[in-house]
Amino acid sequence: MRLVPEPNPSRYRALWVTLGAVGVAFVIAGVVFSAYGVSPLEAYRAMLEGTLFDPKGLQEVFRRTIPLLLIGVGLTLAFRTQFFNIGAEGQLLLGAVFAAGVALFVPLPPFLTLPMMFLAGAVGGAVWCLIAAGLKSRLGVNEILTTLMLNYVAQYVVIYLINGPWKGKDARGYIYSDQFGPAAQIPVIPGTNVHWPTLLLGIFLAFALQFLLERTTLGYAMRVVGENPGAARYAGISISRITLLIALITGGAAGLAGVGEIAGIHHRLIEPLQLSSGYGFTAVIVAWLARGNPALVLLTAPLMGIILAGGDLLKVSLNMPFRVVDVFSGVMLLCLIASEVFVRNRVRWGR
């Protein structure tokens, strides 16, 4: 067996390779379930019945899908242009911090409060991502390392604020800020935690960024930078400018996800691990599955939403370990990364 380079792989090839990688991931996860003494078929049945065929489970899927959708569309654009942002978790947290600052300390007319929170959240996430983009553009620092390390800095910023100057007056045991007023709370579908305005915002961003990428001059420049940086330089395209712009978009989208979490569900700034269940890292898989197409995140985000919500069910109904979702996500990401070689190469048998 040998690998023969495929000069121009089609989109259909990428699709089938991706589906194959997902299938392999499910098989490997099934082996892990078996090793723990749980039938893979029973585990997957419990996941599907408890999410897609149960009203409360379906609500939970949508709740998990919203931040994955917002972060995923930004990361898809970033990965398409070879800006490997692994810091969406920190950008989400900084977006939440900026939005909480508006809700808690900025006196505004009620009708302006939520718009200003969304604007502040986008700015917070974008600024946090711009730090890594600036270091890459000016000093050539690897953005994978800087964005990853900034996640931990963001966590400690949140912990400092809710332990210190922003600590709630009624905080007992757990630490959190004061509760936001009614004007700073995003409306939800009655009886659920699904904040529908943020969901609509994510859907709009998915289509808007797809249009930007495929139908505009700026999008063409982004694609050239991602596919052939040397050709981009030869054509006079500023890679630094594109990198900074991508950081604004991807960081801003992650910041919007942070606004949705605090204004739509928690209504206060809370501890980082409660605020985000690893959405920034899971969204990497969402973006990778979308293969550089923001609109496809409308399919991949709900898929990972099912896995996250279903993983919680496995912990309860089948008494599986707390980290079962992390194992599932890690196996899927590993399979997706490994599958890249089969997108760019064809398998030939024999000599």
Side-chain angles (χ1 to χ4, degrees), residues 166-254:
W166 292 11
K167 185 175 182 180
K169 297 180 181 62
D170 60 341
R172 298 289 185 274
Y174 292 105
I175 50 174
Y176 43 76
S177 72
D178 289 325
Q179 187 168 4
F180 302 159
Q185 299 180 16
I186 302 174
V188 297
I189 297 174
T192 74
N193 282 324
V194 180
H195 35 105
W196 58 268
T198 323
L199 177 60
L200 293 180
L201 178 61
I203 294 171
F204 169 76
L205 279 178
F207 286 117
L209 293 183
Q210 187 71 40
F211 180 84
L212 170 70
L213 194 62
E214 300 291 343
R215 302 292 181 181
T216 67
T217 304
L218 178 59
Y220 173 75
M222 291 177 177
R223 298 201 311 273
V224 173
V225 168
E227 294 168 9
N228 194 329
R233 292 189 188 92
Y234 183 79
I237 298 173
S238 172
I239 296 179
S240 296
R241 175 174 167 269
I242 294 295
T243 299
L244 294 175
L245 181 60
I246 288 297
L248 282 172
I249 295 173
T250 187

Side-chain angles (χ1 to χ4, degrees), residues 138-335:
R138 301 300 179 186
L139 302 175
V141 179
N142 187 296
E143 74 276 15
I144 296 177
L145 296 176
T146 50
T147 53
L148 186 61
M149 293 300 102
L150 283 170
N151 287 331
Y152 300 102
V153 178
Q155 288 182 10
Y156 285 110
V157 168
V158 174
I159 292 172
Y160 163 73
L161 290 173
I162 58 179
N163 264 297
W166 292 11
K167 185 175 182 180
K169 297 180 181 62
D170 60 341
R172 298 289 185 274
Y174 292 105
I175 50 174
Y176 43 76
S177 72
D178 289 325
Q179 187 168 4
F180 302 159
Q185 299 180 16
I186 302 174
V188 297
I189 297 174
T192 74
N193 282 324
V194 180
H195 35 105
W196 58 268
T198 323
L199 177 60
L200 293 180
L201 178 61
I203 294 171
F204 169 76
L205 279 178
F207 286 117
L209 293 183
Q210 187 71 40
F211 180 84
L212 170 70
L213 194 62
E214 300 291 343
R215 302 292 181 181
T216 67
T217 304
L218 178 59
Y220 173 75
M222 291 177 177
R223 298 201 311 273
V224 173
V225 168
E227 294 168 9
N228 194 329
R233 292 189 188 92
Y234 183 79
I237 298 173
S238 172
I239 296 179
S240 296
R241 175 174 167 269
I242 294 295
T243 299
L244 294 175
L245 181 60
I246 288 297
L248 282 172
I249 295 173
T250 187
L256 291 174
V259 180
E261 291 303 293
I262 61 165
I265 299 175
H266 305 292
H267 305 145
R268 62 177 82 224
L269 188 63
I270 60 175
E271 294 186 57
L273 295 179
Q274 294 177 313
L275 179 56
S276 174
S277 302
Y279 291 131
F281 298 113
T282 306
V284 172
I285 303 174
V286 170
W288 210 288
L289 282 169
R291 293 288 180 181
N293 297 284
L296 285 183
V297 175
L298 294 170
L299 299 177
T300 60
L303 171 63
M304 291 308 299
I306 292 171
I307 291 175
L308 290 181
D312 288 341
L313 287 171
L314 294 181
K315 299 171 192 175
V316 176
S317 61
L318 299 180
N319 196 30
M320 296 199 71
F322 176 72
R323 292 296 183 183
V324 64
V325 177
D326 295 338
V327 172
F328 212 133
S329 299
V331 166
M332 185 168 292
L333 183 59
L334 179 64
C335 290

Side-chain angles (χ1 to χ4, degrees), residues 8 11 26 57 70 107 137 187 204 267 280 316:
N8 296 301
R11 290 190 175 185
F26 274 91
L70 283 164
S137 299
F204 169 76
H267 305 145
V316 176

